[in-house]
Structure formats: structure tokens, C-alpha cells
Amino acid sequence: MSQSKFGDYGGQYVPEALMPAIEELTDAYERYVLENEDGFMDEFRERLRDFGGRPTPLQRADQLSERYDREVYLKREDLVHGGAHKLNNALGQVLLARYMGKERIIAETGAGQHGTATAMAAAHLDVPCEVYMGRRDINRQRPNVFRMRINGAEVNPVDIGRGTLKEAISETMRDWATTVETTHYVIGSVVGPAPFPAMVRDFQSVISEEARRQCEEKFGDLPGAVLACAGGGSNTMGAFANFLDDEEVDLYAVEAGGSSLEVDEEEGIAPHSASLSTGDEGVLHGARTKLLQDSHGQIMESHSVSSGLDYSGVGPELAYLVDEGRVTPVNVDDDAALEAFHRLSQDEGIIPALETAHAFGFLEKVAGPDADGGVELPGTVVVNVSGRGDKDLESVIEETDQRQLDNAPTMEVFDG
Amino acid sequence: MSGEDDQRESSENASGAERPASLEDAFDEPAFVPYLAAGDPDFESSLEYVEALARGGADVIELGLPFSEPIAEGPTIQQAVVRSLEGGMTPERFFEFVEALDVDVPLVCMTYYNLIYQFGEDGDPPVRPFVERAAEVGIEGFVVPDLPAEEADLLREACDEHGLDLVFIVAPTTTGERLDRIMSQVTGYVYVQARLGVTGARSDVSDQTTESLARLEAYDVPKAVGFGISSGEQAADVVAAGADGVIVGSALVDVVADGHEEGRPVEETADRLESLARELKEGALAGAQRRPRPEGT
Ligand SMILES: Cc1ncc(COP(=O)(O)O)c(C=O)c1O
């Protein structure tokens, strides 16, 4: 499945200094991941099981099934060690770095989940690790900053631009350009230059591999639809990968609609992160893909209430699948995501990551009591619960406080 | 490059300055190749600064067209990019900037691929409108740090069509097959990255430079070394080690930044740039004196 292009998307648009490392990585990916050389994949799967806690359950959501009058199943990636699907990829890449003989790991993080997963994997496999994180995200995701530090990783704040994932990725690439001979860059999603998008997809595809088998076991059939939130698109690609050939399974990538889909071109800011739904083709961070950019080609800052979706680009394969009509891009706004956050917490006893809450916001939007009728969901739906929301509690309290949500508890009590 | 020579005749810009047509000719003697971000910190001052570099002895000028995600740049040039963008720089303004410049030195546009790709109206083919417009204003070539040889076909074709050069970067990590692949595509000069990392002034000359120059010896294209050079002495060292020219960015951008932050008059900053340029050019020339004479010449 090694691939550097998905239609016209993908490629390797990076400084020359990195190209030899990317060739070396491509070679390692093909040998160890695709051909299981030296038993790499066996070791990866064993560690995913013993350290990572896989397989994760496919759980029927009883209250949501009733509310939406269809079978709603949850793929519980929130139960992976560290609290998100991100560990699947981080563990795979840190292990690969070890097989490649690299001495040092660097990573970027938005929500802090990828940074946390990488820090954990690096501690587990005994490799030094540094993580770049935008200043704004550090403030939004403090628990994860502490977790990274506690696991022994350095967290390097990035003050450039708006201080979110886009800037953190650029800064990590700069570090990599300096240290490429000894360092592996564990990129956090299905983005960046080839082979990252394909490799990260392969590491994440364990999600749909399990989900497919679990669907057969639980109800003897494939689901009618799979829903997953899309930032860079790693949990989306992971959840879709093993269903791509099953044309009867609808695939929905749910993006962050932010506060609005309107764009302030003067300010260079998109108040959303819906690059699949609204972006134009361009080149960012090593790949040709769909991007939020102004008419001159300058990359726009994005916005989402959830830092893990707050990115101006998206994985090239996802962009390709959208153009092919295989994946449907949709989006829900900040308010709907927060409301869904509270609903899942109250109805199912699962506190989801704000990223994940977007997928549930979409479910409510198209199948809830006030459904807008735009999308007819099939009778069985799998929602990928990409992560748990502990990391988001501070943001949720603050954001909930600022708006009128019908289903939220009062947050005043927390103000002391 | 046969067949395109007629398109490569010297171009005349709006202010009437004649620019020599060939980048390669600029390396007949050890060349000084400065970089500044166009429009840093504003359009008018920036024109003065670039012209000061020409007066100081620049043989080729690399003009940066700022991109919002300059992944190959260190903090100094990142800040220049921010200043220029905040001052309203756009690709079209950049071309106006080039038209307004009064220099008789060949100009190379240094930018990132997305800006080249996006230029033009909706529905235009990618890359071509940008190259066409660049040729129109008298740009001689491009350096695109996020466009490796593998992805460069579109731009290569458009450059060939308009007789523009495409300069590639060779890094310390570039060896073997990759080196051949790049060197078969380079025209004008090859940008030899002096060390791993991002742009930024440093105080020593790295062993990586010497090694890279040795690897490139067999290729018959001018070799300009950049990344980290900030003084005449370093320029001399690099040329003595076999370079045909030196590329200097951050050290010059520092002068612009300093003038901006200290609120210095534009003329004063321009004078400083001119004298640093002169030092660097003289350094490059002095380096040639120290070079061991190649046999047979
Ligand atoms: C829990 C969770 N879900 C989703 C995402 C979005 O990333 P991706 O689209 O790569 O899965 C993140 C990113 O940090 C995350 O932490």
C-alpha cells in the first residue's frame, strides 16, 4: 500500500536537507511496516496490545441509539492508553525510529494528545523526546503539557503566528532540518510529505480492522455509515481504511465549523478549520492537499474550539477521497460540538474529547429531534470516539460559561 | 539552454536600469549574492535597502517573496517575513517592487511553492502565470526551498519556456544519486547549503561546507555557498575553500531589523547595508587570492 501520491495530492515538498531522510524513512516503512522485516509488525501489534490496551471495544450506545432511532455503535479509541487513538501512530513511529537506529524523537502537537502519546511511547521505548506546541495550545491543554513533562519529554513552546498546530509543525520541521541525521520526526496525523500520510494511515488502520471484525461479530454485517472527526485526518483515515472498498458503507469526515464558515481574508483568518469542505488545493508542510488559504496563496489561520482540529490543512489522501466522492466532508460548529460533548457525557457516561464531540454533533444535526434533513443516515452507524475529554475540561468549563447551551450544567460553581 | 538565448537578452525595467541577462555570468569573479525580503519593513524603505546592496557590490540579488509558512527559515528571516506581510506584501506587489527597483544586477526570486502555484486567476494553469509575470518584470531565476528536484517538473518547464533559471539547493545530506539528479536540473548556479538547519547568521564556517564543495567539484555550474555567512572574513574562507560565490541573508536582514527597531532613518540603515555588502564582496574577492591555483590555468 506504499504511496506517495493520491491522485494529484500528496508528494514531498520539503527542503532538500530533509529529502535523504525521507528516502531513508520510505525505505524503512516499506521494509518494516509493509513487509514485516525483522518481525517489526509483530512487535508493534504486541506492544499495541500489552502497552496500548488494544483491542478497544465496539460498544452499543443505548441512549443514543434510542434518541436517534437507529443502532449507534462507539469505537472506543478513548480507551487506548493515553486517552486517544494517537498512541497507535506514535507507538508505531517511535518503534520504527528504534528499528532505524535514530537516537532522538521530535514531535509537534495541537491538542497535546499526539505529544502525550509520543512522550509515552518514547518513555516506553527509552528514546529521548522533544515536543513542539503552540503557545495558545499550551494554554488550552495544560493537563497534557504536564503529562508530557511527567513522561520525561521536553515541551518547546512556539510563539510564532497564532500559536497553534500549523506553527508547531513548521517549527518541528525546522528542528528536523537541523538534526535530521540522528532524529526521527513523529508526525501526528496523516499529513506531511510522503511516506507519512500512508504510514500514519497504516498505523491507524488498526481501528477499522478491529471495527470491521467487531461489527461482524456483534451484528453480522457491515455498518451503514462510519463517522469520525477530521483535523489532520488520522483517526478518520484509521476508521475508514478497511471500509474504503465497501461502497455500501458511507464515510463521513466531520470537520470543525468553528464559529462560522465566513472568512475574513483581510485578517488572514478563517474562523473554522473546515479545509476539506471549503479549502482549495495548495502546498503546505510537505504535501499538496486542500488548504485554507487566501487568494494569494498565503495560509490562513484556522479556528476551532478544539485544538486538535485547529489546522489549516488536511491529509492528502482524505482530500483525494473527498474529490472521488468516497468520503463526504461535513462540519459542525463550536456550539454544536460543545452541546454534543455534554450530551455524550450525560447520556452515555463517556466524556469525549472536544474533537470527538464534533462527530456526535453531526449525528445530532442529521438524526436528532431538530434534524435538518440534509443527510439520511443509514440504520447502523459507527462513531469513532477518537479520544477522551479529560484534557479539555478547563476549556469546556470556560467555553460553556460563555454561551447558552440547553443541556449544559451550570459551571459557575467551579469559579470558586 | 540552446534555443532560448534570444529570450534571455538583457531586460530593462520600469526605472530604466539594464540587468545583465545571465546568472552564470555573474560568477565570472567571486560573487556576492545578498538576500533581503522584499517589502521589509515596508515597500519604500525596502527599495532603498536593495539598491544599497547593489551599490555595495552585489553580483546577484535574491529577493524574498514572503510566504506565511517559511519552513526553511530561522527566526531572523521569519520576522522579516512577518514585517513584510504586515506591510501588505503580496505576489503582485512583489512584481511591482521588482519593476520599481533601480539596480543593474540580476535578480532571483526566492519564495515557497504555494505562492508560485496559486498565482493567476481562477482556472489559470498552475505555475505558468507566475513565471510569465516574473519574466515580464525582469526576474532571472528562482530559488524555491520547499520544491525538491522530484516535484519540480512543472516549474522547470515553465522556466525553460521563458528562459529563466531554476536554482536548486544542495544540502550537506545530499549525496550520490540525489546529487546527480539535482545537478542535472540546476541552471544559473547551485545553492550550496553550508550546514544543516535553517537560515541564520553563525560565526564559524562549517566542515560541511568544505565537504559539500568537494563533492560538487566535478559539476560545471557556479557554486554559491549560503546559510550562516555574516562577515567578510567568513566570505573569504568560503571562497578560499572553493566556492564561486557567497549568499548572505540573515546578517543583512539583521541590519534591516535593527534599523527598524531602533527607529533609524532609512538612509542610515541603507548606508550600513552598503558597507556590510562592501565588506562581504571584498571578503569574497580576498578569498580568491588565498585559493590554491588549479593546475593548468
Ligand atoms: C482526541 C482527538 N481526536 C481527533 C484529533 C484530530 O486529529 P486527526 O484528525 O489526525 O485524528 C485529535 C488531535 O489531536 C485528538 O486529540
Side-chain angles (χ1 to χ4, degrees):
Chain A
M1 280 218 282
S2 171
Q3 257 170 320
S4 69
K5 293 258 158 105
F6 308 95
D8 286 337
Y9 296 110
Q12 301 174 315
Y13 297 86
V14 295
E16 171 56 30
L18 296 178
M19 286 300 289
I22 282 173
E23 285 190 337
E24 183 191 349
L25 180 64
T26 304
D27 179 59
Y29 163 54
E30 285 170 358
R31 282 165 40 209
Y32 296 122
V33 180
L34 299 181
E35 289 160 29
N36 192 29
E37 192 173 305
D38 297 344
F40 172 86
M41 284 305 283
D42 303 320
E43 181 174 350
F44 172 52
R45 282 172 187 277
E46 186 182 322
R47 288 184 189 273
L48 265 185
R49 193 178 63 228
D50 295 350
F51 177 69
R54 300 209 73 93
T56 60
L58 181 75
Q59 178 215 334
R60 183 178 187 275
D62 295 339
Q63 273 64 247
L64 294 188
S65 293
E66 194 171 321
R67 179 177 180 90
Y68 300 124
D69 194 24
R70 68 198 69 227
E71 294 295 301
V72 177
Y73 285 89
L74 309 180
K75 181 59 179 164
R76 297 289 308 275
E77 291 301 292
D78 58 318
L79 295 178
V80 176
H81 177 50
H85 71 291
K86 295 282 178 187
L87 185 80
N88 305 325
N89 167 50
L91 189 61
Q93 284 199 52
V94 176
L95 189 63
L96 188 65
R98 260 204 11 190
Y99 273 61
M100 291 169 72
K102 298 286 175 183
E103 297 161 11
R104 173 176 174 260
I105 290 296
I106 53 173
E108 90 298 319
T109 196
Q113 280 304 127
H114 172 61
T116 298
T118 306
M120 286 173 164
H124 172 63
L125 292 164
D126 195 22
V127 193
C129 172
E130 282 178 56
V131 181
Y132 289 88
M133 187 170 188
R135 182 74 71 179
R136 178 180 155 83
D137 287 340
I138 286 182
N139 294 332
R140 286 198 280 184
Q141 305 278 313
R142 291 197 307 162
N144 272 337
V145 176
F146 298 141
R147 290 207 293 174
M148 288 183 262
R149 296 297 311 268
I150 287 167
N151 282 128
E154 282 303 321
V155 179
N156 303 325
V158 178
D159 287 310
I160 305 158
R162 252 164 67 92
T164 58
L165 185 55
K166 168 166 79 68
E167 289 79 20
I169 294 181
S170 293
E171 203 54 28
T172 317
M173 289 196 156
R174 293 187 182 104
D175 180 319
W176 202 28
T178 315
T179 59
V180 61
E181 291 166 309
T182 55
T183 299
H184 176 66
Y185 173 12
V186 179
I187 211 163
S189 191
V190 286
V191 301
F196 282 106
M199 182 174 73
V200 176
R201 171 204 64 206
D202 290 354
F203 288 140
Q204 291 292 0
S205 65
V206 62
I207 301 172
S208 48
E209 186 184 304
E210 286 173 9
R212 204 168 197 285
R213 189 178 69 235
Q214 290 163 326
C215 286
E216 305 268 352
E217 281 163 16
K218 283 223 144 75
F219 51 86
D221 201 355
L222 295 178
V226 180
L227 274 52
C229 65
S234 69
N235 90 87
T236 321
M237 282 312 304
F240 296 169
N242 288 280
F243 294 112
L244 286 176
D245 294 335
D246 305 306
E247 292 288 339
E248 69 273 29
V249 181
D250 299 337
L251 305 173
Y252 289 96
V254 187
E255 297 194 286
S259 55
S260 159
L261 289 184
E262 299 291 309
V263 163
D264 186 342
E265 172 136 345
E266 274 295 275
E267 288 292 312
I269 293 175
H272 61 84
S273 306
S275 39
L276 280 175
S277 320
T278 72
D280 291 324
E281 193 191 322
V283 174
L284 175 66
H285 292 147
R288 179 178 298 190
T289 186
K290 288 183 190 285
L291 301 176
L292 302 177
Q293 56 186 324
D294 69 14
S295 56
H296 304 299
Q298 304 291 1
I299 307 306
M300 281 203 266
E301 300 289 345
S302 59
H303 163 82
S304 168
V305 67
S306 70
S307 34
L309 302 183
D310 198 347
Y311 181 53
S312 314
V314 66
E317 185 172 15
L318 209 45
Y320 168 74
L321 291 169
V322 163
D323 281 2
E324 292 291 292
R326 182 65 192 96
V327 168
T328 308
V330 295
N331 59 78
V332 300
D333 63 21
D334 289 345
D335 289 359
L338 275 164
E339 201 201 44
F341 171 93
H342 290 294
R343 178 171 305 105
L344 195 70
S345 302
Q346 289 162 26
D347 289 2
E348 297 290 346
I350 296 171
I351 301 177
L354 274 176
E355 291 79 10
T356 305
H358 284 73
F360 289 96
F362 176 65
L363 193 58
E364 174 74 12
K365 185 170 160 181
V366 299
D370 300 319
D372 61 15
V375 170
E376 182 59 40
L377 276 189
T380 317
V381 175
V382 170
V383 186
N384 191 27
V385 185
S386 60
R388 62 179 154 94
D390 308 43
K391 68 186 176 71
D392 293 318
L393 294 184
E394 281 185 51
S395 304
V396 167
I397 291 165
E398 196 187 308
E399 297 282 344
T400 300
D401 233 6
Q402 288 171 14
R403 46 198 110 201
Q404 304 270 316
L405 298 178
D406 291 342
N407 69 346
T410 54
M411 295 288 163
E412 285 150 17
V413 58
F414 295 104
D415 290 342
Chain B
M1 300 291 301
S2 58
E4 284 124 30
D5 292 36
D6 40 359
Q7 281 166 315
R8 301 187 49 125
E9 272 162 23
S10 63
S11 50
E12 195 171 307
N13 68 1
S15 27
E18 287 273 321
R19 292 189 197 123
S22 164
L23 285 181
E24 208 155 321
D25 293 347
F27 291 83
D28 285 349
E29 62 174 25
F32 163 53
V33 183
Y35 162 96
L36 280 183
D40 171 26
D42 61 74
F43 194 94
E44 294 301 328
S45 329
S46 186
L47 284 173
E48 299 285 328
Y49 297 158
V50 175
E51 287 166 8
L53 296 177
R55 284 196 301 277
D59 297 291
V60 174
I61 298 175
E62 290 186 359
L63 267 187
L65 161 55
F67 178 51
S68 55
E69 316 304 313
I71 54 172
E73 318 300 349
T76 303
I77 294 179
Q78 282 179 50
Q79 289 306 328
V81 165
V82 170
R83 285 190 298 269
S84 170
L85 288 174
E86 281 176 354
M89 185 47 73
T90 65
E92 185 46 39
R93 282 290 278 167
F94 175 84
F95 293 127
E96 290 163 11
F97 183 90
V98 174
E99 280 182 317
L101 265 181
D102 186 10
V103 297
D104 56 5
V105 174
L107 299 173
V108 168
C109 167
M110 219 267 358
T111 194
Y112 286 77
Y113 193 52
N114 200 48
L115 297 187
I116 298 179
Y117 193 82
Q118 299 301 334
F119 190 78
E121 301 295 316
D122 269 356
D124 280 351
V127 174
R128 274 160 201 282
F130 188 92
V131 176
E132 220 165 272
R133 186 83 179 96
E136 207 173 275
V137 299
I139 298 261
E140 291 298 337
F142 298 108
V143 184
V144 189
D146 66 342
L147 190 70
E150 283 79 353
E151 306 284 359
D153 286 356
L154 265 184
L155 186 57
R156 172 86 271 166
E157 280 167 32
C159 281
D160 286 351
E161 214 169 282
H162 290 89
L164 265 64
D165 286 318
L166 189 49
V167 172
F168 283 93
I169 297 173
V170 164
T173 44
T174 313
T175 52
E177 249 176 67
R178 281 201 56 75
L179 190 60
D180 283 334
R181 191 179 309 156
I182 294 169
M183 295 311 288
S184 69
Q185 291 213 34
V186 153
T187 56
Y189 58 95
V190 57
Y191 188 143
V192 184
Q193 187 178 326
R195 65 188 70 230
L196 283 177
V198 290
T199 54
R202 314 270 197 322
S203 56
D204 61 313
V205 170
S206 113
D207 293 346
Q208 290 176 332
T209 309
T210 324
E211 284 167 32
S212 299
L213 285 170
R215 273 204 308 282
L216 286 166
E217 219 178 327
Y219 299 94
D220 186 25
V221 179
K223 291 136 198 115
V225 171
F227 271 50
I229 297 171
S230 61
S231 68
E233 208 169 311
Q234 285 175 309
D237 288 348
V238 164
V239 171
D244 301 300
V246 294
I247 303 173
V248 181
S250 296
L252 297 163
V253 172
D254 274 336
V255 175
V256 173
D258 190 57
H260 179 62
E261 276 152 28
E262 302 293 323
R264 288 203 183 93
V266 172
E267 305 78 64
E268 196 183 321
T269 299
D271 285 347
R272 284 172 190 233
L273 284 167
E274 186 180 334
S275 68
L276 180 53
R278 190 157 293 126
E279 175 194 327
L280 290 158
K281 173 67 187 176
E282 278 163 11
L285 291 173
Q289 304 297 319
R290 298 198 340 233
R291 202 147 45 183
R293 302 244 152 202
E295 280 156 53
T297 47

